[in-house]
Amino acid sequence: MGIVVQKFGGSSLDGPKKIKNVARRVIECSKAGNQVVTVVSALGDTTDKLIELGTQVAECQSRREMDMLLSTGEQVSIALLAMAIKDMGYEVISLTGAQAGILTDKTHTKAKIIEINPERLSKELDEGKIVITAGFQGITNDNEITTLGRGGSDITAVAISAALRADVCEIFTDVEGVYTTDPRMIPEARKLAVVTYDEMLELASLGAGVLQPRSVEFAKIHNVILHVRSSFNHRDGTIVREDRYMDNNCQMEKDVVVTGVAYDLNTARIGLFDVPDRPGVAHGIFTALSRENINVDMIVQGAMRNGRNDISFTAASEDIEKVLEIMKPLTETIGISKITCDRDVSKVSIVGAGMITNPGVAAAMFEALAEEEINIHMISTSEIKVSCIINKGETERAVASIHKKFNLDKTDQYFLGRIK
Ligand code: ASP
Ligand code: MG
């Protein structure tokens, strides 16, 4: 008998029919002889709707009250799923994040899990119950309800898997696994059998959307094997683990170049003009942002003239108001002449460890964009990725062109991915 943690996202729980479908799926896993903890998100787009409601009643959001509001979404899901399972004749109990022992820090709306006390979970499992747990939420040690940031149910599932030393953490979603790119956008996208944590981390944080990036980091640290699969069929999905070629004595370095093409529509570019060129300025700007928990992504500092630089950087769209708010007083103290903000951009990236030893890879990506006459606003590269900021309206054409350029629609998936 094993311990299986399952996670079902909002799209798998959208309405009574789908909830019953999930209930059957949970029961199946339990009947196969496993102890099952199922983590659920809010139904459908409930969280979006709650956020909208919140912004309609108040211009200035209290993050604490936002957590109070958003945590209700998952509470609805656990109750409904537990009712459905009970009705099918199985022993089950629903638990909120707090009841499941999920302790977080005090950063409302973006809390981090500090610790899981799995006592209650283990007790219920030992009594033979299926446990349904609310994703995305936890509690501080002052008994304040927190949420973990958008998509946070994945983190809950991985953290519980680590705490219970589960055999596998199954992430059920509305796609069949991790693809070479978004199959909803590009029909030629192909499913990958295995990706490594590092590849997945890049794909997820680059906007591939299947897994919450922090959940992948967490899985990597605690060595939790993930299985990303569809809630609507029983086909194998994609395994995410440390080593891509664990089962194969493989020597395919020469062919391995690019694993996938990711895009992120949820990005905006901030430009700072005439920033004084002296030590400590970048430190001042980016410390102020990090203090407010703003994740800055690409940072580019342009060539210096007359003792001044231009700096541009990107951040998530939802953080941009906050970024501007933080930057305003700073522009005066530092002496920056102008700030611009461009929300009409997206980020397109290629990922794969093979590119580090292949100098032509970035060039091929730029060629694919040039062929579509797509202008590049910013470029950044790392060991296993190349990212470009382009106009948002051109994202789909860009992804299609790059996907094709690297033969991701054709190559045997075995030959894609990371070089060991
Ligand atoms: N319901 C939350 C959200 O939509 C958490 C999740 O879905 O994982 O962000
Ligand atoms: Mg959701």
Side-chain angles (χ1 to χ4, degrees), residues 206-281:
L206 293 174
V210 187
L211 286 172
Q212 214 281 352
R214 266 168 54 213
S215 72
V216 183
E217 269 171 37
F218 210 117
K220 180 176 160 72
I221 293 167
H222 297 277
N223 215 2
V224 173
I225 294 176
L226 306 175
H227 183 186
V228 180
R229 58 191 309 192
S230 167
S231 51
F232 306 120
N233 66 49
H234 284 77
R235 280 195 275 275
D236 281 341
T238 302
I239 299 287
V240 188
R241 66 183 184 207
E242 185 59 38
D243 190 347
R244 185 180 179 76
Y245 299 125
M246 208 143 67
D247 318 319
N248 314 298
N249 43 352
C250 216
Q251 37 67 352
M252 33 197 58
E253 305 189 18
K254 60 187 190 310
D255 295 313
V256 180
V257 177
V258 172
T259 308
V261 184
Y263 66 90
D264 185 1
L265 301 174
N266 180 32
T267 190
R269 175 171 62 146
I270 299 284
L272 307 175
F273 290 82
D274 300 321
V275 184
D277 187 42
R278 55 164 197 265
V281 169

Side-chain angles (χ1 to χ4, degrees), residues 91-227:
E91 282 298 308
V92 60
I93 186 164
S94 66
L95 299 177
T96 64
Q99 289 174 318
I102 297 169
L103 189 70
T104 75
D105 67 14
K106 300 179 199 312
T107 321
H108 282 291
T109 74
K110 279 187 184 177
K112 292 212 160 66
I113 296 177
I114 300 173
E115 196 184 299
I116 291 196
N117 175 358
E119 232 168 75
R120 177 77 187 269
L121 287 167
S122 298
K123 174 179 157 278
E124 303 295 353
L125 289 175
D126 290 344
E127 286 174 12
K129 288 182 203 144
I130 294 168
V131 181
I132 310 297
T133 305
F136 176 57
Q137 53 173 263
I139 195 138
T140 67
N141 46 26
D142 322 320
N143 280 331
E144 292 282 35
I145 294 175
T146 50
T147 63
L148 307 178
R150 297 307 307 269
S153 300
D154 290 351
I155 302 172
T156 307
V158 173
I160 289 178
S161 304
L164 295 176
R165 297 182 195 285
D167 296 274
V168 63
C169 177
E170 297 185 317
I171 307 278
F172 288 91
T173 176
D174 55 352
V175 294
E176 281 189 26
V178 181
Y179 283 71
T180 50
T181 192
D182 182 353
R184 289 171 279 203
M185 182 189 269
I186 310 291
E188 290 81 16
R190 288 176 315 97
K191 188 168 69 186
L192 294 156
V194 181
V195 290
T196 67
Y197 294 123
D198 288 335
E199 283 172 343
M200 194 59 227
L201 215 43
E202 291 296 349
L203 290 167
S205 63
L206 293 174
V210 187
L211 286 172
Q212 214 281 352
R214 266 168 54 213
S215 72
V216 183
E217 269 171 37
F218 210 117
K220 180 176 160 72
I221 293 167
H222 297 277
N223 215 2
V224 173
I225 294 176
L226 306 175
H227 183 186

Side-chain angles (χ1 to χ4, degrees), residues 3-17:
I3 299 179
V4 177
V5 174
Q6 306 181 310
K7 180 255 167 175
F8 290 89
S11 56
S12 307
L13 291 157
D14 200 3
K17 233 175 114 187

